[in-house]
Amino acid sequence: MSNTNNPKYAISNEVAHGETKAKAQHLQADFMAGAISRRDFISTALALGVSLGGATAVVKQAQAATPKSGGRLRQGITGGATSDVLDPGQILDAYMINVCMGQLRPCMTKIMPDGSTEGDICSGWQASNGGKTWKFDVRKGVEFHNGKDLTSNDVVDSIRHHLGEDSGSGGSGVVAGIKTIKTDGKHGVIIELKEGDGDLPTLLSDYHLNICPSNGEGGIDWQSGIGAGPYQLVEHNPGVRTLTKKFANYWNTGNEAWFDEVETLGIGDPTARLSALATNAVDAINSVPPKTAARLKNMRDVQTLISTGNKQATMPMLCDVKPFDDINVRNALKYIINRQEMLDKVFFGYGELGNDNPIGPANIFRATTDELPQRAYDPERAKHYLQKAGLSKLSVQFHAADTGFPGAVDAGALMRESAKAAGIDIEVIREPNDGYWSNVWMVKPWSACFWSGRPTENWMFSQVYLSTADWNDTHWKNDRFDMLLRAGKAETNQAKRRDIYVEMQQIVHEDGGLALPVFQSDIMGYRTSMHVPDQIANNWELDGHHACRRWWQV
């Protein structure tokens, strides 16, 4: 949890090379590890020729890197709505991801800052039968906030909550490969898959798959907000303010979760978020618009935090609604997007070009530019596709709000101008932030959206592009794609698996309703009163939405 293994030895820079420098390095390492006292460290450092200022700086560094319990973490977060509910299957955006998965109700597994998958509620797992059969070990001694012991029955019922096309859960696509799930004693869970899938432990970290108490009737108690996480619910005003307090019987106390309380505020307006950070009304904020990111550098006692992963700004078109039901119209619109201009003017260079393919720079099977050439702005090519659709001109509406992705309305305005050369008229409709995910996304034929990206190709494709996925936000169906998804999950040969996923990316690029102009960096800000680790998770914002578990007050 701390930075005690930092390889940079500050005091060794003040002494000569050779044996003395090596002694200084060992001295600092011993002190940072707590092996010697402050007094002995300073006296020995001075004897080696280190200045008092240099030795004192190391002491301050060690103090900051030592976890300190207490205080309240105040977060200003986007994506909250008054329509939010505590049902894990209905989690839509950053606010509820942070509150539910990050604070109240962990999942079976979690993504670590280095991108690896580790156990959370589950301590370990074993696969057999070609990756079709999985045995998960549920931790012993885990307690819910109401005092009930967590058992395998709670885990099984929590996962079943998302199973089936009729579940209505945003996580249904993630668990669609599960054939059966059952208990194996009090602390064992056995999952049988329809086909082998080596990514299952990572998939089970999805933020929808919170472990809730079983209600004893095959379902779960999600209404109360009770979980087995480090913090328990005190107050909850959906989309506005949530207050949690540290759970005294949390199983991992002493290794994480240092704050006494966490206050989460829904602050949709980016100017208001920046102001709250600047005036010390909050300790950390997410989703800083690139055009205002420079303001962070001018704020006193504030640091900028940038994380670049698979987060993507998207513009999904509903493929079952005219005119987007015509593949030629969809491709025409993809060619009128000037991606470089959008990256430069809307995202201010924070990110990289997208290519209408949701597999990002952090995914291992991402198609190369040879396998999938970068789509460029080409109004003549757009005209060609319009003609194939039997059209000489086209008028469409694009619905956007900043909660869709920061700068979405500005991106729409740029797209409107770049489309004119192809005879395409785009009306940009500014929608309210509140209720956007319920009233606009997947409702309006063409809208702004963002995805944080997923650690594996299987996960991204299963949750959003599988024809039966509840979050198929383009309503796109492609039989070849669905077949390849099943084959890719089961394939154990990595070269063959790569070939499968590359073809799937090519299919989405050419046939899908996805316009993806930019992979965007997460830009966040925090006050220097917070200790933030050198390495943070980039699967979601705010350290994978685990800031309340991994950060502390200095």
Side-chain angles (χ1 to χ4, degrees):
M1 285 299 301
S2 71
N3 294 323
T4 55
N5 293 321
N6 193 324
K8 298 178 181 177
Y9 296 102
I11 65 170
S12 66
N13 295 328
E14 296 194 17
V15 298
H17 293 282
E19 184 179 352
T20 304
K21 187 178 183 71
K23 287 181 179 179
Q25 290 178 342
H26 287 302
L27 176 67
Q28 181 173 336
D30 286 344
F31 176 66
M32 296 291 283
I36 59 174
S37 69
R38 175 180 179 275
R39 180 177 179 178
D40 288 343
F41 167 74
I42 291 179
S43 62
T44 307
L46 293 176
L48 289 172
V50 177
S51 68
L52 179 61
T56 302
V58 172
V59 171
K60 290 181 178 179
Q61 179 188 358
Q63 289 174 337
T66 301
K68 178 183 176 183
S69 296
R72 174 185 287 190
L73 172 63
R74 303 163 300 167
Q75 306 176 107
I77 296 184
T78 57
T82 55
S83 57
D84 284 338
V85 294
L86 290 167
D87 181 349
Q90 304 306 313
I91 295 174
L92 291 172
D93 206 343
Y95 187 100
M96 292 303 289
I97 297 173
N98 194 290
V99 168
C100 290
M101 179 197 72
Q103 301 176 43
L104 301 176
R105 304 180 302 212
C107 303
M108 294 172 69
T109 62
K110 61 186 176 183
I111 304 299
M112 300 301 292
D114 64 1
S116 64
T117 302
E118 287 193 2
D120 206 347
I121 291 301
C122 292
S123 58
W125 49 84
Q126 308 86 38
S128 60
N129 191 26
K132 290 185 178 181
T133 303
W134 290 81
K135 167 71 182 300
F136 287 85
D137 304 314
V138 179
R139 290 188 190 277
K140 298 178 181 178
V142 177
E143 185 178 311
F144 283 112
H145 301 152
N146 60 0
K148 175 186 176 295
D149 287 339
L150 187 151
T151 69
S152 55
N153 193 56
D154 301 299
V155 173
V156 168
D157 285 349
S158 293
I159 300 303
R160 282 178 177 164
H161 182 70
H162 308 275
L163 291 176
E165 296 181 14
D166 298 329
S167 69
S169 168
S172 64
V174 179
V175 296
I178 294 179
K179 182 179 180 180
T180 62
I181 178 171
K182 63 182 181 180
T183 62
D184 181 33
K186 194 174 181 179
H187 295 98
V189 171
I190 295 178
I191 296 178
E192 292 285 349
L193 300 178
K194 300 170 187 175
E195 297 155 330
D197 188 351
D199 292 336
L200 182 63
T202 301
L203 295 176
L204 293 174
S205 72
D206 179 78
Y207 58 77
H208 296 97
L209 309 182
N210 307 164
I211 304 305
C212 301
S214 170
N215 63 12
E217 299 176 355
I220 55 172
D221 166 25
W222 58 260
Q223 294 87 346
S224 67
I226 290 172
Y231 299 92
Q232 62 187 105
L233 196 61
V234 177
E235 301 173 21
H236 181 56
N237 186 358
V240 179
R241 179 180 181 268
T242 301
L243 178 65
T244 61
K245 68 177 181 180
K246 188 172 182 178
F247 177 44
N249 294 335
Y250 177 54
W251 70 271
N252 205 23
T253 294
N255 295 311
E256 61 178 8
W258 309 105
F259 299 102
D260 288 336
E261 297 176 317
V262 179
E263 182 180 22
T264 306
L265 301 172
I267 309 178
D269 181 75
T271 301
R273 279 196 309 282
L274 285 166
S275 177
L277 184 66
T279 59
N280 197 23
V282 297
D283 302 303
I285 61 174
N286 74 328
S287 197
V288 176
K291 67 180 178 182
T292 58
R295 290 179 54 188
L296 293 170
K297 298 178 182 179
N298 299 321
M299 293 182 185
R300 185 176 180 179
D301 300 325
V302 167
Q303 291 287 334
T304 305
L305 188 63
I306 298 175
S307 174
T308 302
N310 290 338
K311 186 174 183 179
Q312 49 201 255
T314 70
M315 300 171 171
M317 301 172 248
L318 299 185
C319 297
D320 55 355
V321 177
K322 290 184 178 301
F324 308 108
D325 58 344
D326 189 325
I327 184 177
N328 295 301
V329 170
R330 300 197 296 267
N331 282 330
L333 290 170
K334 294 173 188 177
Y335 277 105
I336 56 84
I337 301 172
N338 190 326
R339 299 158 200 271
Q340 188 63 57
E341 181 184 42
M342 199 171 289
L343 176 61
D344 294 340
K345 294 183 178 179
V346 176
F347 298 94
F348 290 78
Y350 291 103
E352 67 172 59
L353 296 183
N355 196 24
D356 308 325
N357 165 30
I359 303 307
N363 289 122
I364 62 173
F365 296 129
R366 190 189 196 192
T368 66
T369 52
D370 288 335
E371 294 165 330
L372 191 62
Q374 176 66 50
R375 182 173 273 140
Y377 172 60
D378 191 340
E380 293 303 315
R381 193 77 178 270
K383 287 180 182 179
H384 164 76
Y385 280 110
L386 281 186
Q387 291 172 357
K388 290 186 68 174
L391 301 171
S392 59
K393 59 183 179 179
L394 176 68
S395 296
V396 291
Q397 293 180 332
F398 176 68
H399 301 261
D402 281 337
T403 197
F405 61 79
V409 177
D410 293 337
L414 280 180
M415 191 166 58
R416 179 184 60 213
E417 294 304 311
S418 63
K420 290 179 179 178
I424 297 175
D425 176 60
I426 299 176
E427 180 185 5
V428 180
I429 308 295
R430 181 188 288 271
E431 300 283 359
N433 285 316
D434 188 49
Y436 181 85
W437 299 111
S438 300
N439 303 323
V440 179
W441 176 65
M442 293 185 66
V443 176
K444 303 295 184 180
W446 193 19
S447 64
C449 179
F450 83 94
W451 290 94
S452 294
R454 300 297 187 267
T456 70
E457 291 78 4
N458 171 15
W459 189 347
M460 191 74 223
F461 286 146
S462 295
Q463 191 164 26
V464 188
Y465 298 94
L466 178 68
S467 61
T468 56
D470 277 326
W471 278 9
N472 179 351
D473 66 358
T474 57
H475 295 185
W476 178 63
K477 297 182 179 181
N478 185 292
D479 292 341
R480 173 69 179 171
F481 180 92
D482 287 359
M483 184 274 290
L484 287 171
L485 180 58
R486 293 191 296 270
K489 289 179 180 180
E491 182 56 65
T492 58
N493 182 289
Q494 294 300 291
K496 292 180 179 178
R497 201 176 194 205
R498 173 179 174 76
D499 290 341
I500 289 170
Y501 286 134
V502 167
E503 182 180 350
M504 293 173 73
Q505 293 170 66
Q506 293 166 339
I507 292 173
V508 173
H509 175 87
E510 295 297 335
D511 184 62
L514 171 69
L516 196 164
V518 170
F519 281 93
Q520 53 184 334
S521 298
D522 277 321
I523 309 172
M524 300 155 280
Y526 68 95
R527 297 197 62 84
T528 54
S529 57
M530 293 292 110
H531 171 83
V532 177
D534 291 336
Q535 185 178 26
I536 63 169
N538 65 5
N539 55 319
W540 316 118
E541 300 168 279
L542 294 172
D543 207 350
H545 283 302
H546 282 143
C548 66
R549 298 172 71 167
R550 297 171 179 162
W551 301 6
W552 60 82
Q553 282 188 337
V554 296

